[in-house]
Amino acid sequence: MTVIDIPGSKSVTARALFLAAAAEGTTTLLRPLVSDDTEGFAEGLTALGYAVRREPGAWHIEGRPAGPGADSADVYCRDGATTARFLPTLAAAGHGTYRFDASAQMRRRPLAPLTEALRTLGVDLRHGDKEGHHPLDVHARGVKGGALTLDAGQSSQYLTALLMLGPLTAEGLDITVTDLVSEPYVEITLAMMRAFGADVRQEGRTYRVAPTGYRARTYGIEPDASTAGYFFAAAALEPGRSVTVPGLGTGALQGDLIFVDVLRRMGADVEITDAGTTVRSTGTLRGLTVNMRDISDTMPTLAAIAPFAEGPVRIEDVANTRVKECDRLDACAENLRRLGITVHTGPDWIEIHPGTPTGPVEIATHGDHRVVMSFAVAALRTPGITFDDPGCVKKTFPDFHRVFDRFARTPEERA
């Protein structure tokens, strides 16, 4: 059995940085993810006037409940969706003028439902180029609060940003959601807000957030479940292989751990305990039809191993993957077809038929870290797979290739 220490969760680290910056006192984050996205978030906080001190294994953030310490700032959000969506929302609670911009990739990704909601709350917010996209200027003068309706059908991050804003408003927020994707990520948000002292309640499709503010604390970051999925998938794919990820077990916040249930349905042996999760190959993978609306970040991982199943794999209700770092549905289909696999797609689904992928093939990554890491799993059974941009894994796991290559070796090779 191989034991893999997975880096900290990107989703949890980003939320923790927001909550720490908003809290009264100094928060210490233990084992935060160190990657392009999270470093960009921390640098954005620094640009806004928050004191952030980083050391190996721990980041310390001095909270400012009244908002950014700078009265003006230019913030570059890199490729980070959480940075690009959370930081303008945090800045809106303060007083000053703040400009946010992002990479070309992030500029293409939608922002409109969030910025329209902020405008409903009275925030003076202006897009600098294309409406509903970065860049944008926030002329902040605090947020009174109130009631609003939100469509979070493209991204749960819109709802998360507004929920985390709620305790910083003068009167609190009532948010009624008309549509919601990736709901387990919202559960992460609610649990973490409560851990930092917030009072937030859910009544059907309405979330009621009291204007309590936040309290600083020491907060440990659990391993990233989406990243663990590549190793779980590899263990399910390779006969005789097993992997254990410690620190990601029955008490985990992240809904993407549900991905191991998909692997179990396909035939893998899965064990989840308080201490961690173990996946073992049984030597077979069955085809299935699965709704991945709530765990859509793991869709490319399943797509990459789908050809090795004994029957077709159909993944449904994943329209939101078309507005991620790239159109992931089309990217997966394109690369699988290059490998000689029969694939069909629709507006929100992909169906992959059994086959033997053949290389050599250069995977078109479209600068998407999840495309690279997913097809690295397929490469275990497909000699000749290379990537046109292998370095884009820096977004969430800069050391991925070294760690995965070592994992992929036989025990004799690792010795």
Side-chain angles (χ1 to χ4, degrees), residues 143-158:
V143 179
K144 180 180 178 182
L148 59 88
T149 300
L150 176 72
D151 182 347
Q154 283 183 327
S155 173
S156 64
Q157 289 176 4
Y158 306 146

Side-chain angles (χ1 to χ4, degrees), residues 193-324:
M193 288 174 63
R194 290 170 181 138
F196 279 80
D199 177 3
V200 54
R201 290 165 290 161
Q202 182 179 357
E203 300 172 5
R205 282 288 190 171
T206 298
Y207 298 82
R208 305 190 187 281
V209 190
T212 56
Y214 295 107
R215 296 187 298 275
R217 55 166 296 167
T218 297
Y219 193 87
I221 308 296
E222 67 186 29
D224 192 291
S226 304
T227 298
Y230 308 116
F231 296 88
F232 292 143
L237 178 64
E238 287 279 88
R241 187 182 290 275
S242 66
V243 66
T244 295
V245 175
L248 195 63
T250 51
L253 292 174
Q254 299 163 82
D256 274 6
L257 186 57
I258 298 170
F259 179 62
V260 298
D261 290 335
V262 178
L263 297 176
R264 180 188 281 123
R265 287 178 57 193
M266 295 180 76
D269 180 26
V270 176
E271 181 183 8
I272 306 176
T273 69
D274 290 344
T277 297
T278 299
V279 175
R280 301 179 184 86
S281 171
T282 61
T284 187
L285 285 177
R286 295 187 291 268
L288 82 171
T289 296
V290 58
N291 184 308
M292 299 188 81
R293 179 181 178 87
D294 286 340
I295 55 169
S296 60
D297 274 351
T298 64
M299 180 277 291
T301 319
L302 179 57
I305 66 170
F308 304 99
E310 295 175 345
V313 171
R314 183 180 173 92
I315 304 169
E316 298 180 335
D317 207 0
V318 285
N320 68 311
T321 63
R322 292 191 178 278
V323 290
K324 297 286 188 175

Side-chain angles (χ1 to χ4, degrees), residues 92-386:
H95 293 79
T97 300
Y98 311 104
R99 178 175 176 79
F100 297 87
D101 203 352
S103 68
Q105 182 191 76
M106 189 60 224
R107 278 187 171 200
R108 291 192 295 269
R109 298 181 67 178
L111 200 65
L114 174 60
T115 54
E116 289 169 4
L118 290 171
R119 284 170 171 161
T120 298
L121 295 172
V123 177
D124 183 355
L125 185 153
R126 305 166 194 176
H127 290 280
D129 186 8
K130 183 179 179 182
E131 188 65 23
H133 295 264
H134 278 284
L136 60 93
D137 294 318
V138 178
H139 302 272
R141 52 181 184 273
V143 179
K144 180 180 178 182
L148 59 88
T149 300
L150 176 72
D151 182 347
Q154 283 183 327
S155 173
S156 64
Q157 289 176 4
Y158 306 146
L159 176 57
T160 281
L162 293 164
L163 286 169
M164 293 194 297
L165 172 66
L168 304 179
T169 65
E171 298 179 357
L173 284 182
D174 283 358
I175 308 168
T176 300
V177 178
T178 58
D179 192 15
L180 178 60
V181 70
S182 303
E183 189 168 359
Y185 282 90
V186 178
E187 296 301 321
I188 297 174
T189 304
L190 298 177
M192 292 184 65
M193 288 174 63
R194 290 170 181 138
F196 279 80
D199 177 3
V200 54
R201 290 165 290 161
Q202 182 179 357
E203 300 172 5
R205 282 288 190 171
T206 298
Y207 298 82
R208 305 190 187 281
V209 190
T212 56
Y214 295 107
R215 296 187 298 275
R217 55 166 296 167
T218 297
Y219 193 87
I221 308 296
E222 67 186 29
D224 192 291
S226 304
T227 298
Y230 308 116
F231 296 88
F232 292 143
L237 178 64
E238 287 279 88
R241 187 182 290 275
S242 66
V243 66
T244 295
V245 175
L248 195 63
T250 51
L253 292 174
Q254 299 163 82
D256 274 6
L257 186 57
I258 298 170
F259 179 62
V260 298
D261 290 335
V262 178
L263 297 176
R264 180 188 281 123
R265 287 178 57 193
M266 295 180 76
D269 180 26
V270 176
E271 181 183 8
I272 306 176
T273 69
D274 290 344
T277 297
T278 299
V279 175
R280 301 179 184 86
S281 171
T282 61
T284 187
L285 285 177
R286 295 187 291 268
L288 82 171
T289 296
V290 58
N291 184 308
M292 299 188 81
R293 179 181 178 87
D294 286 340
I295 55 169
S296 60
D297 274 351
T298 64
M299 180 277 291
T301 319
L302 179 57
I305 66 170
F308 304 99
E310 295 175 345
V313 171
R314 183 180 173 92
I315 304 169
E316 298 180 335
D317 207 0
V318 285
N320 68 311
T321 63
R322 292 191 178 278
V323 290
K324 297 286 188 175
E325 283 80 349
C326 70
D327 183 331
R328 286 181 178 159
L329 268 178
D330 279 357
C332 287
E334 167 196 4
N335 285 306
L336 287 168
R337 288 173 182 138
R338 286 185 178 189
L339 290 163
I341 301 302
T342 299
V343 182
H344 305 291
T345 61
D348 66 347
W349 59 269
I350 182 170
E351 185 172 285
I352 302 148
H353 289 255
T356 302
T358 55
V361 167
E362 183 179 72
I363 297 298
T365 66
H366 301 279
D368 191 328
H369 58 131
R370 300 212 183 279
V371 172
V372 175
M373 292 188 278
S374 297
F375 279 88
V377 181
L380 292 173
R381 299 266 296 270
T382 313
I385 284 183
T386 58

